[in-house]
Amino acid sequence: MTPRLDAPAVARRDIRVLLADDQELVRRGFASLLAGEPGIEVVGEVGDGAQAIAETRRTRPDVVLMDIRMPRMDGLDATRAICGDERLNATKVLVLTTFALDEYVYEALRVGASGFLLKDTPPRLLLEAIAAADDGDVLISPAMAKRLVADFVRRPIMRPGDSGPLDVLSEREREVLAEVARGKTNSEIGESLYMSPLTAKTHVSRILGKLNARDRAQLVIIGYETGLVSPGE
């Protein structure tokens, strides 16, 4: 599902990254790591959610690395504000935190985050997540993915056939949405549903518009919440 961060993949242009964390030492560590990676540019560092919103509006980064627990405004509220701002549609938020709490995982993705990683994530996975977010894809650390699925198991969901948000989709679009929710790429969707990757991408774009979803992360949430797919499939 996640593109590799090979040199040719990022050489096309710099991915502009904003760092939001209340611990200066942590920010400096991330800045040092990213500064040594070809194709990535750190455009700023901030220490709380309110500053993250203001600096995102000022610098228009491609990706914001967002801590959760910060003073003045936490990362979830900042993520909600950034992802809800139509002027910032090109900016993706990647949440990093020390706290592996279920409600953080679910809420971060629900408000529009394009990934959720723990701060002890290996550097290579962090770099892959940045590339994935920039490409409009989703990356969740394996440990967080298990927690997210467990969370869905506990939550009541709408069953297929119930009246709900999927009524606006055609049968083919529902099939594509189900594949997206299972974590498949456009190429994999094409193989499963006998269509070209370009056709799969077109379907995904139409689904995003019909469901008023920001990105594929929110489509995954919708797929599970509506019962279109179930944990453990």
Side-chain angles (χ1 to χ4, degrees):
M1 175 179 179
T2 305
R4 293 175 58 85
L5 195 68
D6 296 326
V10 295
R12 60 182 185 236
R13 65 174 178 82
D14 284 351
I15 301 175
R16 304 174 71 254
V17 178
L18 174 68
L19 304 175
D21 196 296
D22 63 329
Q23 297 181 39
E24 183 176 359
L25 187 61
V26 173
R27 293 200 309 269
R28 293 292 177 86
F30 283 135
S32 178
L33 169 66
L34 298 178
E37 183 67 25
I40 292 182
E41 175 190 359
V42 176
V43 297
E45 302 178 29
V46 296
D48 63 59
Q51 291 177 341
I53 296 171
E55 195 67 6
T56 297
R57 289 172 176 164
R58 188 182 75 83
T59 63
R60 303 298 174 93
D62 299 305
V63 178
V64 179
L65 292 186
M66 183 78 75
D67 188 22
I68 287 184
R69 294 192 178 183
M70 295 185 291
R72 294 180 61 196
M73 178 185 289
D74 67 27
L76 290 179
D77 285 339
T79 298
R80 183 181 292 106
I82 292 170
C83 294
D85 190 335
E86 293 183 356
R87 297 168 296 179
L88 302 176
N89 280 339
T91 297
K92 307 298 182 182
V93 178
L94 183 60
V95 173
L96 292 107
T97 183
T98 308
F99 305 98
L101 301 181
D102 292 344
E103 60 267 29
Y104 287 158
V105 182
Y106 186 82
E107 187 62 19
L109 293 176
R110 190 179 182 85
V111 300
S114 295
F116 194 108
L117 300 172
L118 295 179
K119 288 183 179 178
D120 62 0
T121 294
R124 193 64 185 176
L125 184 58
L126 171 61
L127 297 173
E128 289 181 355
I130 291 173
D134 182 57
D135 283 340
D137 214 332
V138 185
L139 191 147
I140 306 173
S141 69
M144 291 296 91
K146 291 180 181 179
R147 288 176 177 272
L148 183 60
V149 170
D151 189 46
F152 278 125
V153 169
R154 292 194 300 269
R155 292 174 182 267
I157 58 176
M158 296 173 56
R159 296 299 173 187
D162 291 347
S163 176
L166 302 189
D167 290 346
V168 299
L169 302 183
S170 68
E171 186 61 33
R172 193 58 162 172
E173 288 169 341
R174 290 190 186 211
E175 292 175 346
V176 172
L177 175 58
E179 297 297 279
V180 172
R182 295 183 182 110
K184 292 188 178 181
T185 64
N186 292 335
S187 294
E188 291 169 337
I189 293 172
E191 291 178 4
S192 296
L193 300 181
Y194 304 103
M195 62 177 67
S196 71
L198 181 58
T199 299
K201 182 178 180 180
T202 299
H203 278 302
V204 172
S205 296
R206 289 175 179 168
I207 294 167
L208 286 167
K210 286 185 175 183
L211 298 182
N212 195 29
R214 178 181 173 89
D215 53 28
R216 294 174 81 109
Q218 291 193 326
L219 292 185
V220 172
I221 294 289
I222 292 170
Y224 277 103
E225 282 189 329
T226 59
L228 186 63
V229 294
S230 302
E233 283 191 15

